[in-house]
Amino acid sequence: MVNERKRSTTVKLVSEMRREQMRTRKRNKGDDMPEEKLGCRISLHFSSSLRERLLKDREMIVMKKHLVKLPAKFCCETVFSDFILHERHSNSVHLANGVSLDMVSGLRTYFNHRFVVELLYKAELPQVRNYTDGKTVFSELYGAEHLLRLLTTIGRLLPAKEFCELSYAILQEHFQRLIDFIDAFRDKYLSPDNYIPAQP
C-alpha cells in the first residue's frame, strides 16, 4: 500500500510538471496568466562538499567569467542513467516499484522546460542562444552543475497545495537519494575541468 502511494505521488509529480510545461508555453505566447503561488515544503540536505561546489559554480560563472563546457562530459541524462543503474545494483525497492523512474521523468521535464527561467545565470544566456533551435534537449546538453541548481530550487517550484504532507515527505525522500548519489560521485560529475573561459 505504501509503495503504491509512493508511485502515485511521483506519477502525480510528473503530471504536474507536464501541466507546468503547458502553462509556461501559454505564458510565452503572451497569455495573461497569473503566477502560481509556490510552496517550499521540501527540505533537502546538501553536504558541505556539495554546498562548496555550488558556491564554486557561482564563482566560476559570475566572478571568474567562465562557462560550463558544452556539451557536458557527463550530461544530465548520463547522471540519470547512472543513478538508475546504481539503484538496480543496490536492489532498490524504489526502482522495483517504478518510483525512481517516475522521479527521473519528472525532473527531466522540469529541467528541459524551466531551464532558461530557473537555472541560468545572466552570463550564461549568450551561450545558450547557440543551442535554442527548437530541437535542443537541455538534459542532453548540460550536466550535474545545472541539475544540482534545479535540486536547490525544486521545493519552491512545486505548487503549495498540489500534494498532501505525506506526498511531500515521499518526494523529499526520493530527491534526497539523487542528491546523495551525486554527492558520492561529485569528483566525477562536478570537476573543475568542466569550465572554460567565456568568449569575449
Side-chain angles (χ1 to χ4, degrees):
M1 180 67 179
V2 173
N3 287 339
E4 290 179 359
R5 183 176 295 173
K6 288 184 176 182
R7 180 168 174 79
S8 175
T9 296
T10 50
V11 169
K12 192 175 182 182
L13 171 62
V14 173
S15 298
E16 172 55 33
M17 289 176 169
R18 288 174 178 159
R19 286 197 296 272
E20 175 61 23
Q21 172 188 346
M22 297 304 298
R23 288 192 289 267
T24 301
R25 287 178 178 174
K26 289 182 179 179
R27 285 196 293 272
N28 289 341
K29 290 180 180 178
D31 291 354
D32 184 17
M33 296 182 65
E35 290 288 342
E36 287 190 71
K37 183 178 179 181
L38 300 178
C40 192
R41 297 187 182 183
I42 290 180
S43 177
L44 299 171
H45 172 72
F46 294 82
S47 70
S48 58
S49 296
L50 279 187
R51 292 197 298 270
E52 182 179 319
R53 299 295 174 102
L54 283 163
L55 290 172
K56 189 67 176 179
D57 176 50
R58 184 180 187 280
E59 178 186 345
M60 292 295 288
I61 303 298
V62 177
M63 306 299 294
K64 295 188 175 181
K65 309 302 181 185
H66 279 56
L67 297 171
V68 174
K69 183 165 45 179
L70 299 180
K73 182 177 180 180
F74 300 104
C75 68
C76 290
E77 293 298 337
T78 299
V79 177
F80 291 149
S81 295
D82 289 352
F83 173 68
I84 295 300
L85 187 62
H86 173 78
E87 294 271 279
R88 183 172 292 117
H89 286 167
S90 60
N91 295 317
S92 170
V93 65
H94 306 294
L95 182 63
N97 62 30
V99 172
S100 296
L101 293 172
D102 289 337
M103 179 195 68
V104 165
S105 178
L107 283 175
R108 179 186 292 114
T109 297
Y110 249 128
F111 191 93
N112 286 324
H113 299 288
R114 298 283 296 186
F115 183 78
V116 175
V117 177
E118 301 290 344
L119 303 182
L120 292 183
Y121 292 113
K122 184 178 180 180
E124 295 175 293
L125 293 176
Q127 181 190 36
V128 78
R129 292 190 187 108
N130 295 326
Y131 297 92
T132 51
D133 60 358
K135 300 179 182 179
T136 301
V137 180
F138 291 118
S139 60
E140 296 176 355
L141 186 65
Y142 285 82
E145 294 86 2
H146 292 79
L147 178 58
L148 205 58
R149 293 184 204 175
L150 174 63
L151 289 166
T152 65
T153 64
I154 195 69
R156 65 182 177 81
L157 292 178
L158 298 177
K161 297 181 180 180
E162 187 67 25
F163 303 101
C164 67
E165 292 297 329
L166 178 58
S167 295
Y168 277 109
I170 292 170
L171 291 174
Q172 177 172 306
E173 174 191 350
H174 300 315
F175 290 142
Q176 189 64 57
R177 290 198 341 275
L178 178 58
I179 291 170
D180 293 343
F181 171 78
I182 294 173
D183 192 15
F185 296 95
R186 60 184 178 274
D187 290 337
K188 172 183 176 180
Y189 297 130
L190 301 167
S191 169
D193 295 335
N194 293 347
Y195 298 88
I196 56 174
Q199 296 295 320

